């Protein structure tokens, strides 16, 4: 199943070129900003290589113990999802509440998808990933580059967004992260569109599906995130219609959703 999804993801690379960034800041307007974040020209400093999770790591590690046989130190598999601050990718005990919530929400939303046999790969970095450094909008709360399965979030904009929408920080982060993972899933389905409004509303639609899952099962480690709250976070008439469609529909509904 994982192979199928990934193969589909590859076939969507062309479409993904169009949607190299995303913004949850404004309904459907993100494409107005054309500082397209290309994720193709990342150069790591000498002596480092760009890893799959979008950061520059030492090219040659020298941690092999002298007596080790060649395969004694396998590289640990990268996690499917992670929230990182620089090279620190365990933010579960971070002093910054947004760090902890992004980390927790990534795990929770990815868990839902895993239960549906969809493997999600997304690595978000505080302030932006090396290979997905900046959002299209300066006031974006979070953003994702589907080509690199990486992206970022802005702690300040997350907090501002929560205040502006009258929603808790936790609910805000969860709905936004569900939307960002939605971009990855839609792309994995080969359902990325060349229209950014369509892509944004499809991601919103899947955030609605996440809300439904939290309300109708006891599987979410973070508890319930209601439809109403999700709509308040991802505010806007078109966005809210998409969220409702996803809440009441299926992943297929969202893959085919048109605003
Ligand atoms: Zn988006």
């Amino acid at each position: 199943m994982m192979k199928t999804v990934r193969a589909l993801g590859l076939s969507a690379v062309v479409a993904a070129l169009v949607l190299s960034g995303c913004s949850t800041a404004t309904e459907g307007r993100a494409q107005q900003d054309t500082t397209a974040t290309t994720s193709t020209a990342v150069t790591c400093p000498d002596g480092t290589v760009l890893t799959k999770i979008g950061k520059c790591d030492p090219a040659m590690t020298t941690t092999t113990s002298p007596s080790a046989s060649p395969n004694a130190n396998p590289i640990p598999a990268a996690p499917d999802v992670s929230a990182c601050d620089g090279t620190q990718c365990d933010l579960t005990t971070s002093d910054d509440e947004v760090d902890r919530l992004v980390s927790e929400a990534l795990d929770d939303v990815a868990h839902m998808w895993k239960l549906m046999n969809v493997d999600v790969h997304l690595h978000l970095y505080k302030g932006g990933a090396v290979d997905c450094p900046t959002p299209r909008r300066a006031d974006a709360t979070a953003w994702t580059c589907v080509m690199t399965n990486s992206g970022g979030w802005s702690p300040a904009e997350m907090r501002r967004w929560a205040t502006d929408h009258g929603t808790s920080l936790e609910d805000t982060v969860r709905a936004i992260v569900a939307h960002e993972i939605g971009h990855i899933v839609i792309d994995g389905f080969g359902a990325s569109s060349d229209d950014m409004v369509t892509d944004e509303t499809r991601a919103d639609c899947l955030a609605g599906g996440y809300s439904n899952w939290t309300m109708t099962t006891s599987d979410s480690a973070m508890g319930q995130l209601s439809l109403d709250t999700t709509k308040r976070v991802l505010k806007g008439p078109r966005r809210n219609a998409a969220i409702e469609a996803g809440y009441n529909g299926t992943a297929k509904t969202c893959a085919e959703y048109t605003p």
Side-chain angles (χ1 to χ4, degrees):
M1 192 63 193
M2 176 181 164
K3 278 186 178 157
T4 307
V5 169
R6 298 195 71 164
L8 286 169
L10 288 175
S11 73
V13 161
V14 174
L17 279 167
V18 179
L19 180 71
S20 61
C22 97
S23 164
T24 56
T26 319
E27 183 197 2
R29 296 276 156 66
Q31 73 275 24
Q32 297 296 331
D33 189 306
T34 53
T35 56
T37 308
T38 60
S39 50
T40 52
V42 176
T43 307
C44 285
D46 282 350
T48 65
V49 292
L50 184 64
T51 68
K52 283 184 179 171
I53 62 169
K55 61 176 186 173
C56 295
D57 273 355
M60 298 277 280
T61 53
T62 52
T63 53
T64 308
S65 63
S67 61
S69 59
N71 295 318
N73 293 332
I75 297 164
D80 289 346
V81 293
S82 61
C84 304
D85 181 0
T87 56
Q88 172 56 263
C89 292
D90 178 2
L91 301 183
T92 52
T93 58
S94 170
D95 292 339
D96 183 339
E97 186 181 6
V98 177
D99 287 355
R100 297 195 302 272
L101 290 171
V102 171
S103 173
E104 213 178 333
L106 278 169
D107 284 343
D108 198 52
V109 180
H111 176 60
M112 175 191 77
W113 285 111
K114 190 146 257 180
L115 293 175
M116 291 190 266
N117 293 316
V118 176
D119 282 305
V120 170
H121 298 269
L122 179 60
H123 305 284
L124 296 182
Y125 284 76
K126 183 191 271 190
V130 171
D131 53 2
C132 181
T134 49
R136 294 190 175 205
R137 294 178 53 94
D139 60 350
T141 52
W143 56 96
T144 294
C145 297
V146 293
M147 287 192 66
T148 50
N149 296 85
S150 63
W153 77 91
S154 161
E157 294 300 334
M158 285 283 200
R159 288 191 165 84
R160 191 200 316 268
W161 194 264
T163 302
D164 288 354
H165 291 74
T167 47
S168 73
L169 198 52
E170 176 169 328
D171 291 343
T172 301
V173 170
R174 291 179 78 188
I176 289 172
V177 167
H179 169 101
E180 297 305 327
I181 287 185
H183 281 302
I184 296 292
V185 171
I186 286 291
D187 195 64
F189 287 163
S192 282
S193 152
D194 56 5
D195 174 57
M196 185 163 280
V197 176
T198 301
D199 281 330
E200 292 302 325
T201 49
R202 285 178 181 175
D204 288 335
C205 182
L206 290 182
Y210 170 69
S211 169
N212 178 280
W213 176 73
T214 71
M215 299 301 288
T216 57
T217 74
S218 54
D219 294 337
S220 170
M222 300 181 79
Q224 297 190 326
L225 178 68
S226 73
L227 172 63
D228 180 62
T229 302
T230 306
K231 286 163 66 176
R232 269 200 288 150
V233 175
L234 305 176
K235 195 176 179 180
R238 277 188 299 201
R239 302 194 71 169
N240 284 356
I243 292 161
E244 282 188 26
Y247 190 92
N248 296 311
T250 64
K252 189 168 185 287
T253 309
C254 295
E256 296 169 348
Y257 188 81
T258 47

